[in-house]
Amino acid sequence: MTMHEERCTVHDLDELQDWQRELRAQFPIVTGSPDLAYLDSAATSQKPRAVLDTVQRYLTTANANAGRGTYTWANATTALVERTRARVARFLGDPAPLERSGVHFTSGATEGLRAVARDWLPHHLRDGDEIVVPFADHQANALPWLEARDLLAQRGVRITVRELPYEAASHDYDPAALADLVTERTAFLAATHVHHVYGADMNVHRLRAAVGPRVPICLDAAQSVGHLPVDLGALDVDFLVFSGHKAMALPGTGAVWARNARGPGFRPGGWSGTPNTCGIASLEAALDWLDAAGPDRIRRWATALAARLTDGLYGAEAYEVLGCQESLAPDSAVQRREGIVTFRHRRISSNDLGFVLASHGLMVRADGHCQGRAGESESSVRVSLHVYNTPEEIDRLLAVLLTL
Ligand code: PLP
């Protein structure tokens, strides 16, 4: 369990309100439907006007295929794709941008994790190796590694998949237990930056010391990129995979960043075909927008909104809030939820609660949230927040929840 270095509190809402109001006004879907509150940004984010305008401009002034033309529009598209690779590396704080590392575009985090599992991992593992993966995180960060194991077994290469250990109380990883698990045959570790159900920052900066300098680490940053500052210089990982569409870019966008320093270089296999040029244009614009808005302030805002919600539910007998319990007390020094709060009503099914909230214009996610095999077995309601959400939306939500 980790203390916050700079603790985000509900007071951040007062301090940041003018900044936030200006940013919220840039989301046409949000301002166009004031009776609705979109509370499902962990699934996908809404898009600011700058991103929408960029896509329209691209399609109306330069649309062509990339990497295969001699004329202006084709060359502009090729330049866009290469520029966006460099933009991704810069946004992530790649310490030596693209000198040795690489950026590969995908349709989202799932495809990114599968690309690492399919195109890199099998070339790296030898018979008898072990890999460590997180079975209580999103299944997109569990199933691809099991598929890789089964594929290798068909070729006579047997590897063992071990479970990344968690601290029971906080749901954070347990670096001491991880260190005990590591052997000279440990060849790969997969982890998650921010948990998509518990909203916990998983403190992944502690993992390198636990596994030592040799083991490649793949980080699922689907819930952190676009939500908080991400700095590859500080995170000594080898792959970072994220969803562009959860970070203000169009649906069908994402990327894998590969350090290419431990094991073979990452070369996505197969025929690559036409890239998602519109999506790539939107990703460049989204990263520009996020950098200008300030990932640290976005984090403070979303964390403060989440704290307003957990403070409001604190002591409400009817609700069980999932994840670290110690962090729920309004005066707790333990890190609070990163814009994601998931709960159950003790008598009303989560599915029914989802419908009730929808009837009040409150759009939440009610289901099992694709958790891996060691995750929650029952459905729950997830509220996930971004910079366009407001304290008033949280109060509206609480007003409904607390009457049930
Ligand atoms: N990993 C985490 C932690 C997620 O929350 C999600 C999406 O919900 C994914 C992976 C899958 O992302 P995508 O929808 O981009 O495939």
Side-chain angles (χ1 to χ4, degrees), residues 32 55 81 139 208 238 246 248 261 313 329 333 367:
V55 171
V81 172
Q139 62 188 8
R208 173 56 65 201
D238 301 275
K246 296 189 207 289
M248 313 280 179
L313 290 176
D367 67 4

Side-chain angles (χ1 to χ4, degrees), residues 42 108-110 138 140 192 196 220 222-223 243 245-246:
T110 304
H138 199 287
T192 304
H196 71 294
D220 174 353
Q223 298 299 348
S243 312
H245 67 91
K246 296 189 207 289

Side-chain angles (χ1 to χ4, degrees), residues 259-279:
R259 187 183 295 275
N260 296 331
R262 292 178 183 90
F266 173 59
R267 267 173 220 89
W271 292 88
S272 54
T274 300
N276 176 5
T277 49
C278 251

Side-chain angles (χ1 to χ4, degrees), residues 322 342-357 364-369 378-382:
L322 308 190
T342 305
F343 51 85
R344 293 191 191 102
H345 192 284
R346 296 191 197 276
R347 291 177 305 279
I348 303 172
S349 82
S350 295
N351 202 33
D352 287 352
L353 188 51
F355 282 115
V356 172
L357 294 174
V364 300
R365 167 90 171 256
D367 67 4
H369 315 296
E378 263 178 69
S379 299
S380 49
V381 169
R382 181 180 70 185

Side-chain angles (χ1 to χ4, degrees), residues 43-172:
T44 200
S45 72
Q46 298 304 342
K47 324 301 176 199
R49 189 177 295 287
V51 169
L52 304 174
D53 288 350
T54 297
V55 171
Q56 184 162 22
R57 198 175 327 115
Y58 171 71
L59 286 174
T60 52
T61 63
N63 178 44
N65 214 322
R68 58 199 75 182
T70 50
Y71 55 92
T72 328
W73 293 352
N75 293 339
T77 300
T78 305
L80 164 73
V81 172
E82 293 317 313
R83 205 171 61 230
T84 307
R85 279 190 225 285
R87 185 68 185 93
V88 168
R90 187 152 56 85
F91 186 79
L92 299 176
D94 185 345
L98 298 185
E99 269 162 32
R100 187 167 169 172
S101 59
V103 170
H104 168 64
F105 295 113
T106 63
S107 63
T110 304
E111 195 199 321
L113 293 161
R114 291 196 79 208
V116 177
R118 189 189 54 215
D119 298 331
W120 183 85
L121 196 60
H123 302 294
H124 175 66
L125 297 179
R126 289 172 302 125
D127 196 45
D129 278 348
E130 299 176 358
I131 67 173
V132 183
V133 311
F135 283 126
D137 297 359
H138 199 287
Q139 62 188 8
N141 201 9
L143 298 182
W145 317 122
L146 296 173
E147 284 168 12
R149 176 198 61 189
D150 296 345
L151 193 79
L152 284 166
Q154 284 168 23
R155 299 188 202 150
V157 177
R158 245 176 289 275
I159 65 156
T160 303
V161 180
R162 300 209 179 280
E163 187 166 347
L164 175 51
Y166 298 81
E167 284 171 1
S170 63
H171 293 268
D172 196 351

